[in-house]
Amino acid sequence: MKKIAIGLVVALTTLLSACSKDDATAVGATAQQKFKWKMVTTWPKNFPGLGTIPQSFADNVEKMSGGRLSIKVFGAGEMVPALQTFDAVKSGAAQMGHGAAYYWKGKIPAAQFFTTIPFGMNAQETNGWFYHGGGNQLWKEAYEPFGLIPFPGGNTGVQMAGWFQKEINSLADFDGLKIRIPGLAGEVVADLGGIPVQMPGGELFSAMQSGALDAADWVGPYNDLAFGLYKTAPYYYVTGWQEPGAALEFIVNQQAFEQLPTDLQAIVEIATEAANANMLALYTAKNNEALQSLKEKGVEIRKFPTDVIEALKASSVKSVKNLVASDEMAQKIFASYQRFLAQSSEYHALTEQDYFHNRSGIDWAQAQAVQK
């Protein structure tokens, strides 16, 4: 019996040793395996901010992975048209995409909450909801039936209301107004008599010049200057009621993601977080500079009349109510969204709003005076 027991121990030890070697070999092989992905975007190649951040993300992933995961970035139209990004990633033609969730409202009506809603959360509040208020979990739940995994992919902050070829002095000026404006804001404009148009950013300049559009909502000074939109309309309206904090997204084909080893999955996720933070910082800096350039070019900055703003508010509530009533997933998401917005609004009224009010009027240029 003793000899048999010793023999079993030896045999078991030999088997475990062999398994350990096989496991180590398998792990080593996985660690050395290289993956090549394609990323399609809804933006022109290397367009400031919107296009450069996805490329920066890809560069960071390749560096952090030691070249084990490389991602080739395609601008709008290079591989697929801008508004086919979702379908390309879903089908696996590309492993990854970068765009804005409200472009897919025809497929997922509730997706609009993950970009922005009129008079909704700003960028800071949106990120809080995504990462610490349950927003990301709901986003993943909404995209799961399509085999996609979403990640926050940047934010442009509060946008401008857009470029208008005629002044908006009353609600009557919205009658028949052809304006490029996506998401729920388009439904708001339609409710007020306007004609919303969904159109990729790369087509805006020619559409405005040809008269196909009377107005265009794009982003803000940084990107609007880059497209030369100031050449197409004399009036630049503030502020972006329609996009108070436009969040962008990375979408990843779930099957492709699950084929990555866990360390590369972590690298992808962490790199999206870096890109998300970097974009908001970039737009905060660049919009300031670009606004001064536009003012120097003689751009007229206007504000909507109070009655127009009030009408936009009422119609925004109506549009959200219609969406929530018609879609079960939208109802679930909005319950979370509205709860977080209510809490952050109360807090920011005591902090951010009060601070901005108290800061107004201070002349920091006086601090530059040199004492002799």
Side-chain angles (χ1 to χ4, degrees):
M1 286 292 292
K2 187 175 182 180
K3 289 182 179 180
I4 294 174
I6 293 172
L8 286 172
V9 171
V10 171
L12 182 59
T13 302
T14 303
L15 179 61
L16 290 173
S17 177
C19 288
S20 296
K21 289 178 181 178
D22 289 343
D23 290 345
T25 300
V27 171
T30 301
Q32 295 306 314
Q33 186 177 0
K34 292 188 176 181
F35 299 83
K36 293 184 181 295
W37 279 12
K38 297 174 184 176
M39 184 199 301
V40 289
T41 76
T42 59
W43 329 110
K45 179 73 172 179
N46 290 323
F47 187 71
L50 298 176
T52 56
I53 290 294
Q55 184 60 59
S56 175
F57 161 86
D59 293 341
N60 286 338
V61 167
E62 186 160 7
K63 290 176 185 176
M64 289 192 289
S65 69
R68 290 165 53 213
L69 176 55
S70 59
I71 303 173
K72 182 174 176 60
V73 180
F74 294 86
E78 289 189 320
M79 183 175 167
V80 296
L83 300 183
Q84 290 183 20
T85 294
F86 185 98
D87 290 332
V89 182
K90 176 179 177 289
S91 70
Q95 291 78 18
M96 196 167 188
H98 189 264
Y102 60 13
Y103 288 149
W104 330 129
K105 71 175 187 176
K107 306 174 190 297
I108 312 173
Q112 297 171 93
F113 288 110
F114 302 115
T115 301
T116 189
I117 63 170
F119 298 100
M121 295 186 197
N122 65 14
Q124 184 177 349
E125 292 165 329
T126 299
N127 279 329
W129 179 57
F130 281 164
Y131 290 116
H132 303 288
N136 277 356
Q137 288 82 354
L138 289 166
W139 201 351
K140 290 177 181 178
E141 182 179 342
Y143 279 37
E144 193 275 335
F146 297 86
L148 298 173
I149 303 173
F151 298 93
N155 200 305
T156 58
V158 180
Q159 297 192 358
M160 303 293 267
W163 298 88
F164 291 73
Q165 293 176 348
K166 67 176 185 179
E167 292 182 89
I168 302 297
N169 295 314
S170 69
L171 281 178
D173 293 319
F174 275 92
D175 289 340
L177 183 78
K178 293 173 294 183
I179 177 172
R180 185 270 181 189
I181 189 165
L184 273 171
E187 297 177 27
V188 172
V189 167
D191 187 50
L192 298 181
I195 304 171
V197 179
Q198 177 131 303
M199 180 183 294
E203 300 175 15
L204 293 184
F205 187 90
S206 59
M208 287 287 283
Q209 280 203 321
S210 69
L213 291 175
D214 302 314
D217 149 46
W218 180 223
V219 181
Y222 180 40
N223 286 154
D224 294 2
L225 179 64
F227 266 157
L229 294 178
Y230 65 92
K231 300 175 184 177
T232 69
Y235 305 112
Y236 200 23
Y237 274 84
V238 297
T239 57
W241 63 273
Q242 78 287 7
E243 299 200 28
L248 306 178
E249 66 175 6
F250 288 106
I251 49 175
V252 181
N253 181 281
Q254 184 175 355
Q255 187 175 6
F257 187 76
E258 290 175 349
Q259 289 173 351
L260 296 178
T262 54
D263 64 326
L264 291 186
Q265 291 179 356
I267 285 173
V268 169
E269 186 168 359
I270 292 168
T272 65
E273 292 180 6
N276 189 53
N278 187 23
M279 181 177 282
L280 182 57
L282 176 67
Y283 276 79
T284 301
K286 295 299 183 179
N287 275 331
N288 300 336
E289 299 173 5
L291 179 61
Q292 299 308 313
S293 295
L294 289 172
K295 289 168 65 176
E296 290 170 4
K297 295 179 184 299
V299 169
E300 292 189 48
I301 298 175
R302 300 291 179 87
K303 289 186 177 182
F304 289 131
T306 301
D307 63 326
V308 170
I309 291 294
E310 292 305 314
L312 289 169
K313 285 181 181 179
S315 184
S316 295
V317 172
K318 176 181 175 182
S319 296
V320 171
K321 183 178 180 179
N322 289 341
L323 171 59
V324 171
S326 64
D327 186 83
E328 187 175 343
M329 191 67 203
Q331 185 175 7
K332 183 176 181 179
I333 292 168
F334 183 62
S336 171
Y337 185 101
Q338 189 275 333
R339 183 168 56 251
F340 194 92
L341 176 58
Q343 292 174 350
S344 62
S345 295
E346 180 181 2
Y347 176 72
H348 282 153
L350 298 172
T351 55
E352 303 285 344
Q353 287 179 236
D354 196 52
Y355 169 71
F356 279 128
H357 173 75
N358 289 331
R359 189 177 69 177
S360 65
I362 187 171
D363 183 4
W364 279 108
Q366 295 179 12
Q368 292 182 329
V370 178
Q371 298 295 325
K372 295 183 179 179

